[in-house]
Amino acid sequence: LKGITIAIDGPAAAGKSTIAKRIAKKLGYTYIDTGAMYRALTHKAIVQGINMDSDNELSDLLRQTEIVLLPVNDTQAILIDGEDCTEEIRSQSVTAGVSKVAAHGTVRKLMVEKQRDLAAGMGVVMDGRDIGTEVLPDAEVKIFMTASVDERAERRFIENTKRGIHTPLEELKQAIENRDKADSEREISPLKRAEDAILVDTTSMSIEEVVDEIVEIAEK
Ligand code: C5P
C-alpha cells in the first residue's frame, strides 16, 4: 500500500495519536501530529509571555519558530528551535491554553501551510481536528475517532500515571470537556466530522482492533 493519505480527526484524548503512530509503523508511513504543532507554539508563547489573545503576536512568533517532529523509535520527539520540548508541550499549562491559541485565523493559516508541506508526496497518517475537513480534504482515508468522555478521561488518567502525573480523574474529564467545547465552537475550522469520514467509536475497542479496522479500510 503506497503513498496514500490517512486523516484522523476527533475529540481530545480519543486515542488518535496512539492509533496513528501504530498505523504509520505498520504501513511504513510518516506520522504527523498536528496537535503537537499547536502545543509547541503555545509552549513558546507561554515561555515568552506572549499575549494569547493576539493573533498578530502569535503568528509573528510562529513565523520565527522552527517546529520539527522527529521520529524516535516508535514515538516522536518535538523540537522547538532545535530544543527538545517533547515533555514540556504536554504540561497542564500548555493543555489549558492551546485551544485559545489554535482558534486564531492567521495562526491556523500558517499551521495548515506547514502541515500540507509536511504531507506532500508521501504516505502519511496525520491526526488533529481539521485534517479531513481543511488540511487534507482529498485524503484517501478519513476517520473520525471518538470514545465516551468517561473512557477518554480514564485512558488519559492511566497514561498520566505511567508518566508520574497524578491529576484527579474528575479534573481530567473536565479539562477534556472544556477543550472539546472550545475546539468545536471556534469559528475557523472547528472540530467536526468531515461528511465523508468514517466514524470509529473506540469506547470498547482495543488498540489492536482499532488499528486493524483502519488498516483494513486503507487497504480497500
Ligand atoms: O491533539 P492534541 O490534543 O494534542 O491537540 C491540542 C490542541 O490543538 C487541540 O485541543 C486543539 O485546540 C488544537 N488543534 C487544532 N487543530 C488540529 C490539531 C490540534 O486546533 N489539527
Side-chain angles (χ1 to χ4, degrees):
L1 191 68
K2 66 169 211 277
I4 72 161
T5 305
I6 302 175
I8 304 180
D9 291 299
K16 300 184 298 292
S17 72
T18 304
I19 301 295
K21 264 179 228 160
R22 300 241 189 157
I23 295 170
K25 191 180 179 202
K26 234 178 182 165
L27 300 177
Y29 283 12
T30 301
Y31 166 55
I32 302 170
D33 178 355
T34 64
M37 297 169 73
Y38 289 98
R39 286 172 178 275
L41 176 63
T42 305
H43 174 65
K44 190 170 173 182
I46 291 170
V47 170
Q48 298 205 357
I50 300 288
N51 178 4
M52 308 273 241
D53 290 316
S54 169
D55 189 18
N56 267 336
E57 285 186 37
L58 286 166
S59 50
D60 279 347
L61 182 69
L62 180 54
R63 286 190 192 92
Q64 300 158 27
T65 303
E66 186 196 46
I67 299 170
V68 173
L69 306 177
L70 191 70
V72 179
N73 300 323
D74 286 349
T75 67
Q76 191 160 74
I78 285 76
L79 308 185
I80 306 175
D81 303 319
E83 196 183 324
D84 189 334
C85 295
T86 312
E87 289 295 318
E88 287 84 345
I89 65 160
R90 306 286 159 197
S91 72
Q92 219 167 4
S93 56
V94 170
T95 302
V98 65
S99 291
K100 195 173 212 182
V101 169
H104 294 295
T106 315
V107 166
R108 296 204 72 84
K109 186 174 152 282
L110 295 172
M111 285 293 193
V112 169
E113 281 169 13
K114 276 179 196 265
Q115 290 155 6
R116 287 182 184 149
D117 284 348
L118 286 173
M122 56 183 175
V124 155
V125 186
M126 189 182 283
D127 77 349
R129 303 292 187 286
D130 62 339
I131 311 307
T133 52
E134 177 66 25
V135 182
L136 304 171
D138 298 328
E140 283 85 354
V141 176
K142 294 185 190 180
I143 304 293
F144 194 80
M145 194 179 291
T146 62
S148 72
V149 67
D150 285 308
E151 176 69 23
R152 290 186 279 131
E154 197 139 323
R155 288 181 192 163
R156 188 48 55 92
F157 184 82
I158 292 166
E159 195 183 298
N160 278 354
T161 305
K162 284 184 199 150
R163 292 164 56 213
I165 302 164
H166 302 287
T167 313
L169 187 61
E170 261 315 303
E171 214 171 291
L172 286 176
K173 187 176 164 185
Q174 194 59 55
I176 286 171
E177 284 177 326
N178 292 345
R179 203 142 58 90
D180 287 348
K181 185 168 177 345
D183 292 340
S184 310
E185 291 181 352
R186 72 174 175 232
E187 261 168 57
I188 305 148
S189 307
L191 163 67
K192 70 161 193 262
R193 184 170 80 88
E195 273 171 33
D196 51 351
I198 297 166
L199 184 70
V200 178
D201 184 338
T202 71
T203 304
S204 49
M205 291 173 82
S206 71
I207 292 171
E208 274 317 306
E209 284 171 334
V210 181
V211 170
D212 289 347
E213 180 170 330
I214 297 173
V215 168
E216 208 170 289
I217 293 167
E219 283 171 343
K220 266 189 199 153

